[in-house]
Every structure is written in C-alpha cells, then in structure tokens.
Amino acid sequence: MRRSLAGVALAVTSMVALSFLIPLAALVMSLVKEQGVTAAEQRAAALAPVLTLTTDPAALRESAASLDASEHLVVHLPGSGALGSSKAPAALLERAQRGREAISQEIPDGWICLQPVVLPGDEVAVIENFVPEADLTRGVKESWAVMLFLAVGLIAGSVLVADRLGAKVVRSSKRLAQASHALGQGDLDTRVDPMGPRELRDAGVAFNAMAHRMNELLAVERELVADLSHRLRTPLTALHLASERMAGTAESARVESAVGELEAELEAIIAAARTPLAVGPMGQGMLGAEASGGRPPGGAGSPGPHCEAAEVVRRRTAFWTVLAEQQDRSCSLDLTQEPTAVGLSDDDVAAVVDALIGNVFRHTAAGTPLGVRVVRTAQAVELIVEDGGPGIPEPDRALSRGSSTGSTGLGLDIAQRAANATGGTMRVSRGPLGGAHITVTFSLAPPAPSGHRSRISRRRGR
C-alpha cells in the first residue's frame, strides 16, 4: 500500500508538472525571441535620425558601433556599398529599397530587420540589423533547467509526503495483521494499540473487543467442562462401592481397573480446564497447520512433547484386548520394531488409539474381528485400525464432529486433529477385513531435548 500511494502521488504530480512545464517552456522561448527581435528593431529605428542628418560613412560607423557593439548594425547607402558585413538576402534588401517597406523576417542563420530611410533627393538608404540564432535563444536553457529543477523538487516532495502518510497507514495495518496472526496461533493475550486513520482505529478497537470476548467465552466454556466433569465423580463413587461389594471375583478387578482409568481421565480433564487459557499441542497443531499450510507449529527442532507411538499402542491395545475376549472378538496386533517417535505426548496418542478402537466396539456387533498395526515409513509413523464390520458409508461426513448418525463424531475428530498437529493426515477407506480401514499418519518427531517433558490434558473418545 505504501508503494502504491507513492506511485499515485508520483503519477499525479508528474502529470500536473508536465501540464504546466510544456506550455511554460514554449512561452519562455517565445518571449526570449520576441525580446531579441524588438531590440533589433529599436536599434535600427534609433540609427534612422542620424542617417537623416548625415551620410558620412565614418559618422555612421561610429553611431552604429555605439548602438550595437557586435557590429551587426549595417547601413546600406544609395550608390555605394554597405557600411559593414551584411547578412541580408539581396531580394529582401531590394524589396526594402524599392518598396520603402520595413521588413522583419527569419532567415536561415537568425533574424533580419530592415528599416528603409528616405534621404534628401528622394533616395532610400536601408538600415540592417541582424540577430544571430544564439541571441534568439539566449537564457532559454537556463530557464528550462530552473523549471525542471523546481518540478523535480515538487514531485519529490509530494512523493515524500505521500510516503509518510502511507507509512502511518501501513504501520497500523501491519500491527493489526500481526495481532490477528498471533491470535490465530493461540496467543489470546495479544492486543493492538489503535492508531492511524479513523477506520483503522475503529478496526483496532473492534479487534481488542473481539479478543476480550473470546477470552470470556473460552473461560466460561472451560469452567463448564470442569463442572460437568466434576459431576461425573458421583456415579464413579457408586461404581467404586459396587466393585467393592463384588470383591473376590475376577469381574471385580476388571471393573475396578476401568473405574480407575475413568477417574484418571476425569482428573486430567478437570486439571486442564482449571489451568489458564492456552492451546494444547493437538489444538495448536490444528491452528498451526491451517496457518502454515499443513506444517506443524514451531518447525523442526522446536521443543514439544515426544513419545514412542508403538509402545503406547501396545499398552492401550492390551487394555482393549480384555474386553475383546469377553465379546469373542479376534484382536490382532502388529507393531514395527523401528523407532516411532512422534511429536505428541503419551496421553494424546492413547486418546487416538482409544477413540479408534472404541468406535469399533461401539459400532460393530460382538464377535467382529479387529486389527491394529503400527508401520514405520521414511518420514512418518502410520497407525492402522481396521475391522470386519459394515464399514463407514460416508467417510467425509464421519470426519465432521457431531454430524454422523448415532454418533458425536468426536472419535475420528480427535484422531484427525492429532494427525494435523504433527503435520500428518488421516484416511478412511475399506480394508481387507471388509469393514472400516482407518490410517492415521504422524510425522516423525525430531530428537527431543534432554530432560524435556511436557504434560498435556488427555482427551479420550470413549
């Protein structure tokens, strides 16, 4: 914008300057030429009275020299030659003598002025005054240079003023754009100092009000999540009591383990909801991927959570295998032996595994087989969960939170956000078992700094 404003000022000022300079330059040249011709006519007219008094060549030469030091003033006497070096064409000179006509005319080398004078005896003498071409343009170039200098100064001044005005507008616009990007990246405390034109100041005030309102709404939402999670402790307490009454049975241990896992989940959700507003790695990944074209925020080498995806998948699959055995499901597990470090915490990867396997238990009949695989490629780690159920008829719709029939859509959404957080992808297709075949790709994480550990909230899709 700043360059555009300067360009507009340059174009407008240049056109205005040219519209004045061209006629003014022509006028200066015309005035200089007119002044030179007028002066020549005046010198010829001043010598005419001397010629009426005397025709002595010496006296005429002396008078001509006093009037014109350049010796361009010549007297043509009847019956004798010219007193000086004549530049007048013979035809013009004869026309002035015979017709007794004053002639002022341009010739190839300059301008000629012929003034006839009637002498006693009805004879005609002609006074000639020649003006060279250099005298007709004397001072024109200097005048043009001064006008050009003034025009350049005017143009430069207008461009400078436009640039200063544009800089103020651009500065306020850049600050507003930087604050918008920072807010989009999760910096909820960013604000702008309204400045610049009135419209930009109003935009800055509106941005600050929007950011403040976002903080209020997010705070209310987090409090609501914490309150709702806390309310689940009451039924958990009842489950604890029920498991105690079932003490001594194999089912009691399984129920107690599941209740413990669920209680740990609720504690993590409540703790995360009570912390100051911030965007966790999975949420930050979504925002960063949208802003940077799919790359994870921070770039390679930036500090962040790390975990071995294969180890987390092994632990969580072992948890679900117990329930699979109760439902007569065959559950296969195939893990790569290569390193599978990804840029997510154990809790995030566990949330993805629980969401995908939980969907299999929730949407397929008992006895339906399922398989879990972790594959290592050159640049990524692939988590594959497939089943022998009816499959997913509308994969695109299933990836939208809350749009699937009979489902909240949270499970696949959690998996997709986790993949986006590492710069990976997620695909839904039909697999060899005949049902859904979900592939979640996590980009490999750079080596984690020594001693670095990050704790984030767990979000399960069960």
Side-chain angles (χ1 to χ4, degrees), residues 4 62 160 271 316 357 361:
S4 299
E62 183 179 355
L160 180 62
R316 296 313 303 163
I357 299 180
F361 280 84

Side-chain angles (χ1 to χ4, degrees), residues 141-160:
K141 293 182 179 180
E142 291 78 2
S143 300
W144 285 358
V146 171
M147 290 188 294
L148 182 61
F149 177 77
L150 292 177
V152 171
L154 177 63
I155 293 174
S158 65
V159 171
L160 180 62

Side-chain angles (χ1 to χ4, degrees), residues 59-112:
L60 291 176
R61 284 193 180 95
E62 183 179 355
S63 300
S66 64
L67 292 173
D68 187 3
S70 58
E71 298 183 354
H72 291 307
L73 194 60
V74 179
V75 178
H76 296 271
L77 294 175
S80 62
L83 302 179
S85 178
S86 176
K87 299 289 184 178
L92 289 180
L93 185 60
E94 184 178 358
R95 174 182 164 190
Q97 287 177 340
R98 292 185 178 182
R100 302 180 181 184
E101 175 185 358
I103 299 175
S104 181
Q105 184 174 323
E106 185 177 8
I107 61 176
D109 295 332
W111 195 276
I112 193 74

Side-chain angles (χ1 to χ4, degrees), residues 136-222:
L136 295 176
T137 58
R138 182 173 299 163
V140 172
K141 293 182 179 180
E142 291 78 2
S143 300
W144 285 358
V146 171
M147 290 188 294
L148 182 61
F149 177 77
L150 292 177
V152 171
L154 177 63
I155 293 174
S158 65
V159 171
L160 180 62
V161 172
D163 180 73
R164 291 297 88 199
L165 294 176
K168 189 175 182 180
V169 175
V170 170
R171 191 181 306 115
S172 58
S173 301
K174 283 185 176 180
R175 290 184 179 179
L176 185 58
Q178 291 170 357
S180 300
H181 286 302
L183 183 65
Q185 293 294 334
D187 184 5
L188 302 180
D189 294 329
T190 185
R191 298 293 186 273
V192 296
D193 183 18
M195 59 178 296
R198 182 170 58 87
E199 292 79 6
L200 287 177
R201 291 199 303 270
D202 293 343
V205 172
F207 175 85
N208 291 338
M210 177 192 67
H212 180 70
R213 183 58 177 165
M214 284 180 60
N215 276 335
E216 291 181 346
L217 294 176
L218 288 174
V220 171
E221 181 181 359
R222 293 169 68 86

Side-chain angles (χ1 to χ4, degrees), residues 13-326:
T13 312
S14 299
M15 288 189 294
V16 173
L18 288 176
S19 64
F20 281 95
L21 281 178
I22 294 176
L24 188 60
L27 179 62
V28 168
M29 176 174 282
S30 176
L31 288 176
V32 171
K33 184 176 182 179
E34 184 178 352
Q35 288 177 356
V37 173
T38 302
E41 292 175 350
Q42 289 176 350
R43 287 192 294 270
L47 187 60
V50 177
L51 191 60
T52 58
L53 296 177
T54 179
T55 57
D56 181 47
L60 291 176
R61 284 193 180 95
E62 183 179 355
S63 300
S66 64
L67 292 173
D68 187 3
S70 58
E71 298 183 354
H72 291 307
L73 194 60
V74 179
V75 178
H76 296 271
L77 294 175
S80 62
L83 302 179
S85 178
S86 176
K87 299 289 184 178
L92 289 180
L93 185 60
E94 184 178 358
R95 174 182 164 190
Q97 287 177 340
R98 292 185 178 182
R100 302 180 181 184
E101 175 185 358
I103 299 175
S104 181
Q105 184 174 323
E106 185 177 8
I107 61 176
D109 295 332
W111 195 276
I112 193 74
C113 294
L114 299 178
Q115 178 67 41
V117 178
V118 179
L119 301 178
D122 201 28
E123 294 181 324
V124 178
V126 178
I127 302 174
E128 171 193 337
N129 196 357
F130 173 72
V131 183
E133 184 71 28
D135 292 347
L136 295 176
T137 58
R138 182 173 299 163
V140 172
K141 293 182 179 180
E142 291 78 2
S143 300
W144 285 358
V146 171
M147 290 188 294
L148 182 61
F149 177 77
L150 292 177
V152 171
L154 177 63
I155 293 174
S158 65
V159 171
L160 180 62
V161 172
D163 180 73
R164 291 297 88 199
L165 294 176
K168 189 175 182 180
V169 175
V170 170
R171 191 181 306 115
S172 58
S173 301
K174 283 185 176 180
R175 290 184 179 179
L176 185 58
Q178 291 170 357
S180 300
H181 286 302
L183 183 65
Q185 293 294 334
D187 184 5
L188 302 180
D189 294 329
T190 185
R191 298 293 186 273
V192 296
D193 183 18
M195 59 178 296
R198 182 170 58 87
E199 292 79 6
L200 287 177
R201 291 199 303 270
D202 293 343
V205 172
F207 175 85
N208 291 338
M210 177 192 67
H212 180 70
R213 183 58 177 165
M214 284 180 60
N215 276 335
E216 291 181 346
L217 294 176
L218 288 174
V220 171
E221 181 181 359
R222 293 169 68 86
E223 289 295 329
L224 180 60
V225 170
D227 293 342
L228 292 176
S229 302
H230 191 272
R231 289 168 60 183
L232 293 177
R233 286 182 172 178
T234 300
L236 279 178
T237 303
L239 288 176
H240 271 299
L241 296 177
S243 65
E244 290 177 359
R245 288 195 295 269
M246 297 168 57
T249 64
E251 191 68 25
S252 174
R254 295 194 186 97
V255 173
E256 186 65 27
S257 175
V259 171
E261 288 284 340
L262 184 56
E263 188 171 11
E265 297 283 350
L266 290 178
E267 291 291 344
I269 293 175
I270 293 173
R274 294 298 186 186
T275 56
L277 288 177
V279 180
M282 290 175 64
Q284 186 179 10
M286 290 190 68
L287 295 173
E290 293 175 1
S292 60
R295 298 184 302 274
S302 61
H306 291 74
C307 76
E308 282 292 328
E311 177 61 21
V312 177
V313 173
R314 184 191 62 77
R315 292 200 307 265
R316 296 313 303 163
T317 305
F319 171 82
W320 287 97
T321 301
V322 177
L323 182 57
E325 292 176 354
Q326 295 178 359

